[in-house]
Amino acid sequence: LLIKKAKDAGLFVITATQMVESMIENPVPTRAEVSDLQNAVWDGTDAVMLSGESASGKWPCEAVMAEAAAVLEAETTKHLLIPQVYDDFVVDEANKPREMDDSKRKTKVVASLGPSSWSEEMIGKMIEAGTDIFRLNCSHRRGGDFERVYPLIRKYAKLLGCRVECLGDLQGPKFRVAELAGDPVPLIEGEILEFGISVDENDNIRPGRITMKSTTEQ
């Protein structure tokens, strides 16, 4: 229903968040995750997105390939759906060879970049795996990350002859937990902790005080 309403309003729809969450740890998706991708395509989504799976997971390229394969198959089977199966149908009539030509895929795959995928070695592999759009998430950016990564995306897209877009995820100003001043701070039941905004760059987390810093990269 949400996808239909967005499409009716003329919006580009990205179905996102935990689409193949299990692939953060595992090299293949679950059947339920593939079904979610299929339903998103059949509902009319324009793109499906990877978040932690590609940014910090163990199998970023495999996650891209899994999403690309799932949405391609969903696109090429939708026309075979019928409201009912008649008595004289046999199971073999429902068999269809898997579509292997990724050039026929219309649904875009969006991959969030992060430590698992934004090295020079990985950018090219992510494009070859099927990434159409790289998401640059400003909420998790460190200074200089995007300035380093963006030229790599353009370099390898040109080398591979692929059209690859970049999506800047600007979530607005927010506060993030500061760094640890020293060792991890244990949380002890009954202890009173102070939460506050860092007064300077050296005001980091320490026993009795949890500090937060505003983001500036937006």
Side-chain angles (χ1 to χ4, degrees), residues 170-187:
L170 307 177
Q171 299 187 35
K174 62 176 64 175
F175 293 100
R176 304 195 70 83
V177 176
E179 303 291 338
L180 287 168
D183 295 331
V185 177
L187 299 178

Side-chain angles (χ1 to χ4, degrees), residues 184-195 206-210:
V185 177
L187 299 178
I188 302 172
E189 185 176 354
E191 181 182 15
I192 296 176
L193 293 173
E194 175 189 9
F195 282 83
R206 57 186 183 274
R209 178 169 168 80
I210 307 297

